[in-house]
């Protein structure tokens, strides 16, 4: 059953738009609860994915994928288009990123 309702976006009445970005990366990290109701990731991989998520807004992309995630995964590379290499905080070398164009079948 398919239901279609024509409703304005929730922020339209105040002239605002809601957008969200996501980033995908792979690498070693430590994670755990460090206090009541506090869960976090520690390490370079967690830091990089946070930086890439921030980059989604600058590039106007919804999902960015690191070259490390696509390394050796040709099918995944075919789902993305290159957005070049970018400087990110706490990295001495630029990071190559790709925009996800469609999801895997």
């Amino acid at each position: 059953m398919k239901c279609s309702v024509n409703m304005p976006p929730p922020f339209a009445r105040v002239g605002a738009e809601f957008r969200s970005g996501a980033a995908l990366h792979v690498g070693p990290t430590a994670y755990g609860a460090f206090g009541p109701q506090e869960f976090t990731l520690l390490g370079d991989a967690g830091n990089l994915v946070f930086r890439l998520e921030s980059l989604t807004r600058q590039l106007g992309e919804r999902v960015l994928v690191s070259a490390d995630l696509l390394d050796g995964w040709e099918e995944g590379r075919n789902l993305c288009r290159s957005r070049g290499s970018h400087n990110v905080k706490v990295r001495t070398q630029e990071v190559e990123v790709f925009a996800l164009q469609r999801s895997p079948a």
Side-chain angles (χ1 to χ4, degrees):
M1 180 176 174
K2 186 176 180 181
C3 179
S4 177
V5 178
N6 189 10
M7 293 178 53
F11 296 97
R13 70 173 180 215
V14 294
E17 190 175 345
F18 177 79
R19 290 185 182 228
S20 178
L24 303 172
H25 175 66
V26 63
T29 190
Y31 63 94
F34 293 94
Q37 299 179 342
E38 291 182 29
F39 185 85
T40 193
L41 295 174
L42 297 174
D44 183 62
N47 187 25
L48 181 58
V49 80
F50 172 76
R51 304 297 179 184
L52 295 181
E53 185 275 329
S54 295
L55 192 59
T56 62
R57 290 182 285 286
Q58 293 174 20
L59 298 178
E61 299 290 353
R62 292 182 183 257
V63 180
L64 288 179
V65 179
S66 72
D68 290 341
L69 182 79
L70 297 176
D71 188 31
W73 183 34
E74 200 58 38
E75 179 186 342
R77 198 169 281 272
N78 292 332
L79 302 172
C80 302
R81 70 178 166 85
S82 176
R83 289 303 310 242
S85 295
H86 297 270
N87 288 315
V88 294
K89 281 186 178 179
V90 306
R91 282 287 176 109
T92 56
Q93 294 183 331
E94 291 185 336
V95 176
E96 186 179 9
V97 296
F98 296 81
L100 184 66
Q101 297 299 287
R102 62 185 197 281
S103 60

